[in-house]
Amino acid sequence: SSEVIRLIESGRLTLIPVGDSRGYEVPPHSGVYIMESQNLDITLLKLLLQRISEDSIVIVDGDRKTQTDMAMYAGENNGMKRMSKVFRGNELFGQVDLQNIYRSKIAELAD
């Protein structure tokens, strides 16, 4: 949309492919949204989380239980699963497990 383009051009929004994250440091006071994280192994999700600066918020989203696309990201090698184990109990961490996926009435009919 034109709003996304405006935010990118003004420097308020940066889109970074996971493969380009090595060497990048998230500026302080940023919001970071890591999408489709069920398809990240432990090493890659750790790399992304290590880029986060002070006073930033991170949302890690994904469906590791039912939507992992490749076997190499499943089980004990799943970055989301490991993150949950390591971060659980820390005051900086919260986790929400949604029971239903709802996109639209069409998606519901397709299901």
Side-chain angles (χ1 to χ4, degrees):
S1 88
S2 60
E3 181 64 15
V4 171
I5 293 169
R6 188 185 69 72
L7 290 170
I8 291 170
E9 289 174 349
S10 71
R12 296 187 62 211
L13 176 65
T14 304
L15 303 176
I16 301 172
V18 172
D20 293 342
S21 63
R22 187 170 301 282
Y24 180 79
E25 185 173 331
V26 174
H29 314 290
S30 294
V32 176
Y33 182 36
I34 304 172
M35 299 169 40
E36 298 292 325
S37 299
Q38 76 275 6
N39 293 314
L40 299 175
D41 66 16
I42 291 170
T43 304
L44 196 47
L45 187 53
K46 180 179 176 181
L47 171 77
L48 294 172
L49 293 172
Q50 288 175 328
R51 306 280 153 239
I52 307 304
S53 294
E54 236 8 84
D55 295 321
S56 293
I57 185 170
V58 180
I59 298 170
V60 178
D61 109 341
D63 184 355
R64 69 174 173 83
K65 293 181 181 177
T66 62
Q67 201 175 3
T68 302
D69 294 336
M70 298 178 70
M72 65 188 278
Y73 303 126
E76 294 305 311
N77 195 36
N78 185 276
M80 286 183 71
K81 181 177 182 178
R82 178 70 178 153
M83 179 192 68
S84 181
K85 282 183 183 178
V86 171
F87 285 32
R88 186 163 300 214
N90 187 294
E91 66 183 31
L92 297 174
F93 178 73
Q95 181 171 326
V96 176
D97 292 317
L98 301 176
Q99 302 306 309
N100 299 312
I101 298 171
Y102 180 78
R103 291 187 175 96
S104 67
K105 290 186 185 258
I106 292 174
E108 189 176 328
L109 285 171
D111 191 36

